[in-house]
Amino acid sequence: MKGKTMDQREHARLETRDGQAVSLMGVKFAGDLRGLMFEASIEQRFCNPGGKNVEVVYSFPLPWGSVLLGVDVVLGDKHLTGAVVEKKQAEARYEEAISEGDAAIMLEKNRDHSYSLNLGNLAPREHCTITLRYAQTLQFEQRGLRLLIPTVIAPRYGDAQHDGGLMPHQAPSHSLTADHPFELELRLHGELAQARVASPSHPVGVAHGNSDQGSVLTVSLARRESLDRDFVLVVDQLAHGSVAVAAQDCVEPSRVAILASFCPRIRTQGISSTAVKVLVDCSGSMAGDSIDAAKRALQAIVRQLGAGDRFSLSRFGSTVEHRSRGLWKATETTKLAAQRWVGALKADLGGTEMEAALSSTFALAQTVSSDILLVTDGEISAIDSTIESAKDSGHRLFVVGIGSSPAETHLRRLAEATGGACDFVASGEAVEPAVLRMFARLRSPRLADLCLEWPEGVVPEWVSPLLPSVFDGDTVNAFALFGQLPAGEVRLLGKRSDDDLLQEIGTATLPSRLDAADTLSRVAASVRFHSAGNKLLIGQPIEATRLAVDYQLVTDRTNFLLVHDRPDGGKATDMPELHKVDQMVPAGWGGTGSVMFSRSAAFFETRVVDYQTSGSLDWSGVDAPSVPAVFRTVREPSIKFCAMDDTTIPAFLRKRDQIIDHQDRRYWAGSEHYSGLTPLGVSEWLRITPASEWPTTYMGLRQMGVGEWLVDWLELEMASHEGTLYAESKVVEAFLYLMSRRDTYESLAQSEGLLGALKSTVLRLRGVFASDPATRPTRVDVALVEAMVAVLDGMTASAWPDRVFSLGGAVDEVRDAREAATIA
């Protein structure tokens, strides 16, 4: 195959580079956005180029909150229709049809809210086009609109079957050589056609036009793309207000379904302070683009912290590491320390043990009311138990989803269940808008007792439950069912946590006419199904499965089924071969590449393979790269280093670490609150190490073996001594200068008791500096050294003085934690 073009491979051989049959020929997406209602179709084209019947299984995602409206099938030259039936009935009939040699198509909703398409007995050289139609009620967020269309399921941490509850055929598989073409066209109608649009995920073209209903803005892909990242469209400069629409119920025409969409306006009283625990995902899947985006987001988060705010910093993977053992006050010193911590982050902590990391973070500073700000791609198989433990903790979770294909459903479920919110940042997208939106929500007043007030005398038969939290500028959608079309206004009311009075935060005028389409009533039925179990109407229990069948909804209790009875001569004579369609590896996932250039199988094969064999890139015969898309580097796939630690410790630090015996209590302390080099251990390390190899950063001190508590004292106390903000290198240099003095070392080496000679050492230091400044190192700050000496007075060879661990100011939470541990 080498040397053949992409077209030859697709149209002549219909095989991938490793010889597997190509069954998914491509996906075409089309959608119409009118107000808050988005209706879309996904055309999936399949082909069996082989000589045997096959059963194709393809798993794919749909957007959060979407409702599948219908499935249209063209098998060969035949247009076929099916229906939604009870799940067990569909599964039994599907298997029966396959065993009888007939063709069958079954669409099912998986436990993780993805979908699986089963296409059974696709005959040799037969084509099949399946078009899925769905609807989604969108939400304006902070006066903007973000449309996310998921295209690929990324690899997830954990066992998809055991942890995620998927069946073997539903569990997605991935291939670096898979390439599935992707086409897209969106149409924005009415006022949306005048808005400003942009896509941070794909290069797009826009065109203005008109239709019978008014202005239309058409958005399409600017070039050939693949299913290797989610499509994102950002629509802003919108003037959105509360609105209500109504439609006759498509199953029970005597009823009316209503959607009331509110744009809350919540009054604030000045800038409120916040307490937030920041938790960032540093697992292997975050390597590359995702960790870079996470670091940009975290730097923006730190910049948003102001006077009165308190925060903690933690990162997780297979384990969790807390940079702060409590909540720091937001000061210039702590914000600088946070920025240094963020700058050193790597995706080097292995797997994604999110539940354990959240539980550990919940336990920090439990006496203070605080929220969690989680930055992650969400790529885990199991989420249900994580959601339950998060709800029990009493914390609100505000989630920033990072990467080219974050687990949107997982993250939105986690945020909504705890009364928080969710936002997303695509690879290469500016993170500041998402962070600003998050902080606007964090600082928004908390509301309780949310309720709807309908016009006098109007009583709905059913109302959808409201979310536990409402934020200024974020849309709140409420569905209701009535016996007839009501008139008047519906009000959204809420109560501040510090006020007993209900206040109006949104008002919508009920419509005077009904919408002719059945979309609204079916979306409302889906909300009824998912929100209230069997209690679907007030005072009128309805069996949930029957509701899904009546409204033709694909749910966890119902499947779509189509059976095509083939003529006797066309029936399969043997059971079909199973072919699971591999997912593409998302662009930039796990550090395998970066969203830089246009991704195609030809691009991947020509550039990476040729570079590996010849050491050069052959660009001949290939279209010029475009931005953005994917460039795969020759670094080994990240799947191999998910459990590896990329932190590189300099050779000289490893060498000295081996010389300092950690079992020798003179050199190494291992108490509950401090683990690291003792005073004598630090002096010994400096004595045997050339000064040119001494560390110059706080991270270098940690790698050297200086314990966290001591480094915190230097970074958070000494760095801002008496109102002066010292540079990191100045603080480290002063500390090492003091601990490397010969008189300091000799005093420590000669005594296991209190260091009585330290005061005379201080006097000598001051005398030398005062009498002859030229005798000291040029860059050592005298005042800083003297401040350190004042605190270190009283240390022993094997222990640092208590004042190092009990100073107030920026580290008062550290002090409190230590005191609590001592009492315990």
Side-chain angles (χ1 to χ4, degrees):
M1 292 301 299
K2 188 172 182 179
K4 293 190 176 183
T5 67
M6 186 64 184
D7 287 342
Q8 288 175 317
R9 228 178 17 251
E10 286 183 351
H11 300 297
R13 295 284 301 264
L14 291 174
E15 290 182 353
T16 61
R17 187 172 177 270
D18 54 6
Q20 295 181 354
V22 173
S23 56
L24 178 61
M25 301 300 298
V27 172
K28 184 177 181 179
F29 188 97
D32 290 273
L33 180 59
R34 296 179 176 88
L36 291 177
M37 189 62 70
F38 180 58
E39 296 185 60
S41 66
I42 306 173
E43 180 185 282
Q44 301 169 344
R45 302 185 302 277
F46 298 92
C47 175
N48 176 10
K52 297 182 178 180
N53 280 48
V54 296
E55 180 182 12
V56 179
V57 178
Y58 175 48
S59 295
F60 59 93
L62 284 182
W64 166 254
S66 61
V67 179
L68 197 63
L69 299 177
V71 181
D72 303 317
V73 178
V74 178
L75 182 64
D77 57 355
K78 297 179 175 62
H79 290 257
L80 308 174
T81 58
V84 172
V85 299
E86 191 270 332
K87 179 177 283 291
K88 290 183 179 179
Q89 177 187 343
E91 292 172 345
R93 183 68 186 94
Y94 175 83
E95 295 297 336
E96 179 184 357
I98 297 301
S99 63
E100 292 176 352
D102 293 321
I105 296 171
M106 184 172 68
L107 182 67
E108 56 188 337
K109 187 175 184 179
N110 302 328
R111 179 77 177 272
D112 64 351
H113 293 239
S114 65
Y115 290 79
S116 287
L117 179 71
N118 305 267
L119 173 54
N121 272 333
L122 188 63
R125 289 166 293 283
E126 189 172 42
H127 289 75
C128 182
T129 299
I130 299 176
T131 303
L132 313 173
R133 293 177 286 109
Y134 74 83
Q136 180 186 13
T137 306
L138 301 181
Q139 294 180 323
F140 285 90
E141 297 177 341
Q142 305 297 298
R143 299 170 179 80
L145 187 64
R146 182 185 179 89
L147 176 63
L148 189 150
I149 300 173
T151 66
V152 61
I153 303 173
R156 292 178 178 173
Y157 176 74
D159 190 302
Q161 299 175 49
H162 182 269
D163 300 330
L166 299 183
M167 299 296 291
H169 70 280
Q170 297 171 340
S173 56
H174 296 80
S175 171
L176 285 171
T177 60
D179 181 44
H180 307 313
F182 174 51
E183 301 173 63
L184 176 140
E185 182 176 282
L186 302 177
R187 293 171 292 274
L188 283 65
H189 298 264
E191 293 182 0
L192 293 173
Q194 309 305 318
R196 186 176 66 178
V197 300
S199 173
S201 60
H202 294 72
V204 296
V206 297
H208 290 273
N210 294 285
S211 69
D212 295 338
Q213 289 77 34
S215 300
V216 177
L217 177 66
T218 302
V219 180
S220 57
L221 297 177
R223 54 182 61 87
R224 185 255 195 207
E225 296 289 352
S226 299
L227 297 177
D228 65 347
R229 81 202 87 142
D230 296 343
F231 178 85
V232 178
L233 186 71
V234 178
V235 186
D236 61 7
Q237 294 185 350
L238 296 172
H240 173 59
S242 299
V243 65
V245 292
Q248 188 178 51
D249 191 273
C250 63
V251 174
E252 300 181 72
S254 61
R255 289 195 171 95
V256 174
I258 285 182
L259 166 61
S261 175
F262 301 95
C263 186
R265 293 294 182 262
I266 304 174
R267 294 186 300 272
T268 60
Q269 298 173 347
I271 299 177
S272 60
S273 60
T274 185
V276 59
K277 301 172 183 176
V278 178
L279 179 63
V280 58
D281 186 349
C282 287
S283 63
S285 67
M286 289 283 291
D289 287 340
S290 295
I291 195 64
D292 290 340
K295 290 166 73 171
R296 296 197 309 273
L298 289 167
Q299 295 287 13
I301 288 167
V302 172
R303 290 194 295 270
Q304 285 298 309
L305 294 169
D309 291 336
R310 302 171 76 87
F311 68 101
S312 67
L313 301 168
S314 306
R315 73 185 194 117
F316 77 97
S318 297
T319 58
V320 60
E321 298 177 358
H322 301 298
R323 173 62 186 90
S324 49
R325 289 162 289 277
L327 292 173
W328 287 349
K329 292 178 180 177
T331 66
E332 290 302 317
T333 302
T334 55
K335 290 171 67 174
L336 184 60
Q339 289 172 342
R340 280 192 289 261
W341 180 81
V342 170
L345 288 177
K346 293 183 179 180
D348 58 2
L349 290 184
T352 314
E353 296 289 350
M354 184 182 293
E355 184 175 0
L358 282 170
S359 297
S360 181
T361 306
F362 295 150
L364 296 176
Q366 290 181 308
T367 59
V368 179
S369 177
S370 58
D371 299 311
I372 301 286
L373 184 53
L374 175 64
V375 181
T376 179
D377 58 10
E379 302 300 355
I380 56 176
S381 294
I383 192 65
D384 292 342
S385 61
T386 302
I387 291 174
E388 291 305 314
S389 63
K391 289 169 62 177
D392 293 341
S393 76
H395 289 74
R396 296 187 303 175
L397 265 70
F398 294 83
V399 185
V400 179
I402 294 289
S404 58
S405 182
E408 181 197 12
T409 296
H410 282 359
L411 299 182
R412 289 200 182 275
R413 288 181 61 201
L414 183 61
E416 289 192 2
T418 60
C422 195
D423 222 315
F424 294 89
V425 177
S427 298
E429 183 179 5
V431 300
E432 285 76 9
V435 171
L436 289 174
R437 291 192 295 266
M438 275 303 181
F439 266 86
R441 298 181 183 111
L442 278 165
R443 301 189 192 281
S444 180
R446 296 196 183 203
L447 298 180
D449 298 335
L450 294 170
C451 62
L452 295 173
E453 183 181 87
W454 300 94
E456 185 176 355
V458 174
V459 180
E461 298 181 3
W462 165 83
V463 179
S464 62
L466 295 172
L467 294 176
S469 288
V470 173
F471 304 101
D472 181 62
D474 284 3
T475 299
V476 177
N477 290 325
F479 292 88
L481 202 62
F482 293 87
Q484 61 183 6
L485 180 63
E489 290 185 338
V490 55
R491 302 167 67 209
L492 176 64
L493 306 176
K495 185 187 299 182
R496 288 178 180 267
S497 57
D498 57 352
D499 192 350
D500 293 332
L501 299 177
L502 285 171
Q503 69 178 53
E504 179 184 302
I505 57 178
T507 302
T509 301
L510 296 172
S512 58
R513 62 183 182 85
L514 298 177
D515 193 314
D518 67 353
T519 301
L520 177 59
S521 65
R522 295 183 65 190
V523 172
S526 177
V527 175
R528 287 163 58 192
F529 176 91
H530 291 100
S531 64
N534 290 331
K535 250 335 198 200
L536 297 171
L537 291 179
I538 298 174
Q540 183 181 354
I542 296 181
E543 206 278 320
T545 302
R546 182 164 66 85
L547 179 87
V549 172
D550 287 346
Y551 286 88
Q552 289 292 282
L553 305 174
V554 176
T555 68
D556 53 356
R557 302 189 185 192
T558 53
N559 291 355
F560 169 84
L561 177 68
L562 184 155
V563 174
H564 174 54
D565 295 323
R566 294 189 185 273
D568 290 339
K571 293 182 182 290
T573 58
D574 199 358
M575 293 301 289
E577 293 183 354
L578 180 65
H579 179 82
K580 184 187 292 187
V581 177
D582 286 332
Q583 301 283 320
M584 295 183 67
V585 176
W589 183 91
T592 53
S594 179
V595 183
M596 291 171 56
F597 300 110
S598 177
R599 164 64 157 90
S600 68
F603 179 84
F604 176 81
E605 179 180 334
T606 302
R607 287 160 182 73
V608 174
V609 173
D610 286 351
Y611 179 84
Q612 290 174 324
T613 56
S614 67
S616 62
L617 294 177
D618 179 11
W619 295 86
S620 59
V622 185
D623 293 339
S626 58
V627 178
V630 181
F631 177 76
R632 306 284 183 183
T633 68
V634 295
R635 185 178 181 182
E636 292 184 76
S638 63
I639 296 174
K640 295 182 63 178
F641 47 76
C642 281
M644 292 175 61
D645 189 341
D646 283 345
T647 301
T648 302
I649 300 177
F652 76 87
L653 289 178
R654 292 196 299 268
K655 178 179 65 176
R656 305 301 169 190
D657 185 60
Q658 293 169 359
I659 293 176
I660 300 297
D661 185 2
H662 290 194
Q663 303 304 315
D664 191 332
R665 291 307 170 197
R666 295 178 304 163
Y667 298 139
W668 191 267
S671 66
E672 182 178 0
H673 71 275
Y674 178 80
S675 177
L677 290 171
T678 63
L680 180 59
V682 171
S683 289
E684 177 67 14
W685 192 97
L686 295 171
R687 188 181 68 84
I688 63 177
T689 305
S692 61
E693 297 182 356
W694 290 359
T696 59
T697 64
Y698 299 129
M699 180 58 70
L701 288 178
R702 294 185 180 94
Q703 293 176 339
M704 168 183 163
V706 178
E708 285 288 342
W709 288 72
L710 189 61
V711 179
D712 278 349
W713 166 66
L714 292 171
E715 185 174 4
L716 303 179
E717 285 291 328
M718 291 295 100
S720 58
H721 179 64
E722 294 185 351
T724 301
L725 192 61
Y726 291 96
E728 178 179 13
S729 58
K730 286 285 188 183
V731 178
V732 174
E733 186 177 40
F735 173 70
L736 295 184
Y737 175 80
L738 174 62
M739 297 306 298
S740 65
R741 296 278 300 177
R742 179 182 297 177
D743 42 12
T744 302
Y745 173 77
E746 290 177 351
S747 298
L748 290 169
Q750 293 170 6
S751 174
E752 280 293 333
L754 292 174
L755 187 59
L758 184 59
K759 290 184 179 180
S760 60
T761 301
V762 174
L763 293 175
R764 286 197 299 272
L765 286 172
R766 289 175 177 167
V768 168
F769 291 160
S771 62
D772 187 7
T775 62
R776 73 175 188 267
T778 304
R779 294 173 297 173
V780 173
D781 189 283
V782 180
L784 191 53
V785 172
E786 291 183 344
M788 291 181 185
V789 168
V791 177
L792 295 177
D793 186 8
M795 69 180 173
T796 67
S798 58
W800 301 97
D802 287 342
R803 291 186 66 191
V804 168
F805 309 118
S806 61
L807 288 173
V811 289
D812 55 352
E813 290 292 340
V814 176
R815 175 202 63 200
D816 294 343
R818 180 178 181 274
E819 289 177 354
T822 302
I823 294 173

